[in-house]
Structure formats: structure tokens, C-alpha cells
Amino acid sequence: MANKSCDEGVETRRGTPREGVLERCFHQTVNRKLTKMLNTRTRVALRFVAVALICGSSALASNTIAATLSDYRLSTGDVIEITAVGAPELQRKAPVELTGDVVLPLVGRVQAAGMTVARFENKLRDLMRSQVFRRRTPDGREFPVVLSIEEISVSIAEYRPIYINGDVAKPGEHRFRPGVTIRQALALSGGYDVMRFRAKDPFLEAADLQSEYASLWTDFAKEQVHVQRLQAELSNDDKLDLGSVIDTPVSPSVLAQIEKMAVAQLSARNTNHKNQRDHLLDAIRQEEQRIGHLTGQREKEQEAADADAAEYLRTKQMVQRGVAPNTRLLEARRVYLSSGAQVLQTSAMIAQIERERQQFGLQLSGLEDRRRVELLAELEAAQVKLAMLRLRLQSVGEKLVYTGVVRTQLVRGKGGAPDLMVFRKHEDGDRGFVADEDTELLPGDVVEVSVRSEAPPVPQQQAPRVGDSLIPGVPDIPSFARDRTGPTMGSSR
């Protein structure tokens, strides 16, 4: 604008130019150029200052890393390289073994673990100060060579690896590079990944787990009713006491069907047991009636036998006096023996029936004992199965929580901030400290990565019951299954 105004002023006064106008235009042009020059130099100077600051900070960081690595102490897994300027054939790479030793030519085993590189280099120079080795020429001749200690140098060819563990895609060891940070190590490990343990799609597996979870709850409800039925049988009760049954998220219609079948089975088993018991009781009563009848019969036969015995004695006395013939005595003796045999036969029958009655009594007692033993064994098995179902429900519930977290991460695409912990070896043992992604690592460091996942939202409504069709799709996880400390399994009825 200044050039234009000056040109217009000169042009308008071209016929009669004035010195004031020319002088003003000259000063404006000079001021504009000086201002432009100063601005350019200022920007260049600021750029030089910024570059200097960046270089200075980088140099400071590099100096810090160099100072840390200069104090680095050798340990198992490091590989050191020995070079000798005057003897290239002595150049050797040697790992630090588990014992902390390094095997080198001319000196053999040398302790290296726990030493800095400079200290180990001085130790190696002292050991090789008086060493002489023979060098072979191409024509086969040998001549002795004495090394100068200044020609011997030691460097680290390869540091021991760093280890990344936890919620990363590829946990394991990685080669150490001076100046490597946790961010770079995470990049080598494939980044954060909470699904590294999973081999299935969380959406499909969640559906399978929901089905298994519903099936387990149905089995749990069925086994609870089974236990109550067994306890009712042990108590000789015809009704089920379902007051102590734990509430379950099973459909009321399914529960009603399970209870109906249990009641029918209880009635059938009680009826069968009652029929067997009544049959044995009837048999015992019949045997007792037979015993009573035969006992009365034996009493009458015993009276008749006693009368025949008295008649036999009277007849025998009459025969001895000559009043009665011998034939009458023989007849009396035959009648006496016959009545005695009848009494003995009746007594034998009573004894046989008594034994049968005792057998029926033993069968009745054994029936009760066997039934009780069988019921107790079945009750024990049912209670063990119930405990196993509890554990399986807790396990599947925790799996559902985990798959819900993973599914939430996949849908939302975000989670909590990761927790990074570095474990570093010191002389007094391993020590851990909290780090961030910009923390620089040292050889042998172990990085534990833990991603804090966002918990899935907990619905406020009551958990849907298994078998209900009011909610489309698979039922949601009941609230008690989301408790990591273990499900409470509901409340009492």
C-alpha cells in the first residue's frame, strides 16, 4: 500500500515533482524492508533456539541412558565380545553362563557376573598381561606373539532379553535395544489384548454359556426337589416340604412339572413299600393264627394222650391180677402210643410255623433297614451332586461375567487405563515399581501388563426365569451371578 501511495503521489505530481513527497516515499520503503528483514531473522533465531533445546534434551536423555548402561552389571544371558587389535583370531563372542563364568581363549573360565564392562575389561587385561600365543603364518611357520593390554577391549554384543507378560497379544521375551521404552516393547508384543486367552468368539461363547447356565439351574432345581423327596421318604411322609428349597431362576411351569413328578414318584414308592410291608405283616399274622390253632389242638391231644396213658396203666394192673386178657392190654398200649405220636406231630408243626413266623419278621425288619440304607445312600449322592452343581453354576457365572466384559470391550471399543509394573533385578533381589509407557527399560526387565476392563452394566430389573419367553433372545445373567466372590444362589422360598 505504501508503494502504491508513493507511486500515485509521484505520478500526480509528475509535472511538478516535490522533494517532500520523494523523501517520504523513500523513508517508507526503507522502513518496510528493515522490518521484513528483522522478522525473518527473528524467526530463524527462534528456530535455532528450539532445535538447540530439542537436541539438548535428547542429548541429556542419551547421556542418562549412557550413564545407566555404563554402570550396567553383567548377568546370565548377556553375550560379550572380546577383540584384540593385534590378534584378530582371538576375537570371540562368549555368553555369560548360569554359573556367571565366561569361557575365553588363553585364560579359560573367568567370573563375569556382577561386574561392569570396564571392570571386567581390566580384569581380563590383568589375566592376559603375560599371556603369549603362537601365530601361524600362511607357509606353516609359527612365531610367538605378546599382546599389549591396550589392544584388548570388551564390549556387550547382545544384552539379555526383556520380558512382557499379561494383557498383550504376544507375551514373551524380546531382544533388548538401548533406550527401548515400554511403549516400544508393547508394540513388539502386538499391543494390549485382553482376549489373548480366548479361542472362540465371545458372542457365540456367551450364547453357549447362557444355555449351559440355564440347564444347570434346571438340574439344580430338580436335584433340590429330589433331596426333599428322599427326606420325605425317610420320614415316612406323603407330602413334600418345599419350604427350604432355594429359589432358582427356573420357569414356574418347569418347577411345577418337576414338583408334580416328584410327588407322583414319592406316592408310588411309598405305596410299593407299604404293600411289601403289609404283605409281610399279613403273613406273620397268619402264622400266629396257625400257631394259636395248633397250640389249642395240642392241648386237647395232650389231654387225650394222658387219658390213654392212665387207661394203659389200669389195664396193665388188671392183666397182672388176671382180670383182663392180654389182648386188651395190647390194644390199650397201641392207643396210648398213637395219641402220644399225635401230640409230638402237632408240636413239630408248631415249631415249624414258629420258624416261618420268625423268617417273616426278619424279612420285615430287613425291608425297613434296606430301604433306609438305600435312601441314605441316594440322599448322599444327591447332596454331592447338588454341591457340584453349585460349583459349576459359580464357574459358568464367572465365565459369563468375563465374556460379558470382553463383549462390552468389543462393542464399546474402550476400557480402563492399563497398569504397568516393572520388575528389575538388583543385588539384593528383584524389586518392582509402577511405570508408564515412556519408562525406559534395562536388560532383564520383566513388564507385567494388566488392563482394567470396564464392568458390564448391571440391570435393575429382576433376573428372567429360564423357560420364560417374555424377553426375546437368551436370558440375561442374574445379578447374583455377577458377584465375583461367588453367587448367593437366591433366597428362600
Side-chain angles (χ1 to χ4, degrees), residues 359-376:
Q359 290 293 331
F360 287 132
L362 290 176
Q363 290 181 14
L364 179 61
S365 177
L367 175 66
E368 297 292 339
D369 293 340
R370 284 194 304 273
R371 178 173 180 264
R372 185 170 184 82
V373 170
E374 292 174 357
L375 288 176
L376 289 175

Side-chain angles (χ1 to χ4, degrees), residues 181-217:
T181 62
I182 293 181
R183 190 189 307 275
Q184 295 167 342
L186 290 173
L188 294 175
S189 301
Y192 300 111
D193 187 4
V194 76
M195 293 177 60
R196 68 190 187 283
F197 297 118
R198 307 187 60 82
K200 297 181 180 179
D201 188 330
F203 295 95
L204 298 179
E205 188 168 2
D208 294 339
L209 289 174
Q210 287 281 7
S211 175
E212 183 180 1
Y213 193 69
S215 177
L216 288 174
W217 268 120

Side-chain angles (χ1 to χ4, degrees), residues 131-166:
Q131 294 291 336
V132 178
F133 75 97
R134 306 186 67 83
R135 176 177 293 174
R136 184 182 297 275
T137 61
D139 56 0
R141 293 179 299 171
E142 294 183 353
F143 61 93
V145 176
V146 179
L147 293 176
S148 175
I149 60 174
E150 287 78 10
E151 297 177 350
I152 301 173
S153 63
V154 179
S155 61
I156 299 181
E158 183 179 344
Y159 291 93
R160 62 184 187 271
I162 57 176
Y163 302 89
I164 310 295
N165 188 29

Side-chain angles (χ1 to χ4, degrees), residues 432-443:
F433 60 91
V434 179
D436 55 24
E437 293 182 344
D438 295 325
T439 301
E440 295 178 356
L441 299 175
L442 292 180

Side-chain angles (χ1 to χ4, degrees), residues 8 21 61 147 184 189 209 228 237 252 316 349 388 395 426:
E8 291 176 354
V21 175
L147 293 176
Q184 295 167 342
S189 301
L209 289 174
Q228 296 301 320
D237 195 352
K316 184 177 180 181
M349 292 179 62
M388 293 178 64
S395 174
H426 296 270

Side-chain angles (χ1 to χ4, degrees), residues 7 15 29 43 54 96 101 164 166 190 236 268 297 299 312 333 337 356 375 386 397 407 413 421 430 434 436:
D7 293 340
T29 303
R43 287 195 297 269
I54 293 173
V96 180
D101 297 338
I164 310 295
N236 294 322
Q297 180 181 345
E299 291 177 355
Y312 171 72
R333 183 173 180 273
L337 292 176
E356 292 179 357
L375 288 176
L386 203 60
R407 186 170 54 182
M421 179 72 72
D430 293 344
V434 179
D436 55 24

